[in-house]
Amino acid sequence: MSPIRLALVGLGKIARDQHLPAIAATEGIELVAVASRNATLDGVAHFATLADLLASGEAIDAVALCTPPQGRHELAALALKAGKHVLLEKPPGATVSELGPLIAAAQATGRTLFATWHSRFAPAVEPARAFLAARDIRSVAIEWKEDVRVWHPGQEWIWEPGGLGVFDPAINALSILTRILPRPVFLTGANLAFPTNRAAPVAAELDMADTAGVPIRAELDFLQTGPQTWDIRVETDAGDLTLSSGGAKLFHDGRPLIDERDAEYAGIYRHFVELIAGGASDVDVTPLALVADAFLLGRRSIVAPFEY
Ligand code: NAP
């Protein structure tokens, strides 16, 4: 079968750091075009916008949307209408309600819609899920603390409505949480700290529970300097299971079980190729719904202004 001809939209940090190498390393898919207003890639057809690309008649089968979440719905709807398969970076959109129409459009056109959660492809995630399936879980503690100035330098969109602030990275923890726990999770309370000059939170505390009443606590911070923390600790009847480094490492009672190189985006593109071959879609809005609930239920405090 000839490879899927892919166009990448939004040639920014994550596209360059992860998508380009993962696409190059994945069989069955090839990059044939880029749509980005301010960036080009040597040897690859370039268009300023997705609309220009679609109007040009350039032969593509699929698009990977690597733009910020605000505006992603419009791009995805345009691509599906043109009969293209669509891969969405996380979070899948700026709202939960915009995803229903995209799912319906993918069904109507028989195309694949894949809402990626890259952290679910981290090496510790499936072993943790298997371990927890058979255990009595007592509590879960998430610590997701990183330095926005290091990981999102100059990204103003992240502080705008729909940009999610500290939830931009923390939604990765929620995507892991909702994959590894055997029961559905819901939010019971939240505290959100907004800088005086920003529309998105810089820190948050979340209280959640699963349907068996297991308490789940998350502490999120976007101003962590020094060592960065991306940990989930699950207390069970058979000891503590800890996913650290965003799911690259797994420990059972402090004993290392997994410590593997990051291969999240290779997993994403393999799955995209499989979904297209099988005529299927994969859209799970649960992590985004938890974030939306934190905005609904969260008590807000105002903290010092943030500048890069
Ligand atoms: P970024 O560096 O700002 O890149 C996004 C690109 O999208 C920009 O370079 C820009 O390219 C294009 N774009 C189109 N409309 C835009 C707009 N209104 N504002 C800003 N840029 C716009 O962002 P990123 O870090 O790659 O993040 C993109 C998505 O990937 C986000 O949803 C993020 O959550 C996700 N992600 C990021 C990381 C990370 O570590 N940074 C990790 C995993 C996932 P042109 O100006 O050329 O059009």
Side-chain angles (χ1 to χ4, degrees), residues 128-129 132-135 137 177-185 210-211:
R129 177 180 162 90
L132 295 173
R135 298 303 189 289
I137 300 169
L177 176 78
T178 49
R179 177 70 192 161
I180 62 175
L181 291 195
R183 291 175 291 269
V185 171
D210 76 355
T211 51

Side-chain angles (χ1 to χ4, degrees), residues 49-222:
T49 67
L50 176 62
D52 291 349
L53 164 57
L54 293 173
S56 76
E58 178 84 23
I60 62 163
D61 307 303
V63 299
L65 302 183
C66 303
T67 52
Q70 306 100 324
R72 200 174 287 149
H73 173 265
E74 191 185 338
L75 296 172
L78 196 64
L80 288 167
K81 196 171 170 203
K84 312 304 176 193
H85 307 289
V86 174
L87 180 154
L88 304 169
E89 244 302 349
K90 52 73 28 180
T95 69
V96 178
S97 53
E98 71 190 41
L99 291 161
L102 293 183
I103 294 168
Q107 272 166 357
T109 56
R111 292 299 180 269
T112 291
L113 179 65
F114 179 22
T116 62
W117 297 109
H118 64 84
S119 292
R120 286 186 176 174
F121 291 86
V125 171
E126 291 309 311
R129 177 180 162 90
F131 179 94
L132 295 173
R135 298 303 189 289
D136 182 8
I137 300 169
R138 296 185 173 152
S139 68
V140 183
I142 297 173
E143 238 188 300
W144 222 258
K145 298 179 176 176
E146 69 175 48
D147 187 345
V148 61
R149 292 184 173 91
V150 171
W151 302 103
H152 305 276
Q155 290 181 354
E156 292 296 334
W157 61 262
I158 220 164
W159 298 105
E160 290 299 311
L164 298 190
V166 71
F167 288 109
D168 176 82
I171 202 168
N172 298 330
L174 300 175
S175 75
I176 294 176
L177 176 78
T178 49
R179 177 70 192 161
I180 62 175
L181 291 195
R183 291 175 291 269
V185 171
F186 58 96
L187 192 97
T188 58
N191 289 308
L192 310 177
F194 285 75
T196 49
N197 60 338
R198 301 289 177 171
V202 67
E205 298 156 350
L206 307 182
D207 285 304
M208 296 167 278
D210 76 355
T211 51
V214 170
I216 303 162
R217 172 103 181 142
E219 293 184 6
L220 319 174
D221 189 10
F222 225 177

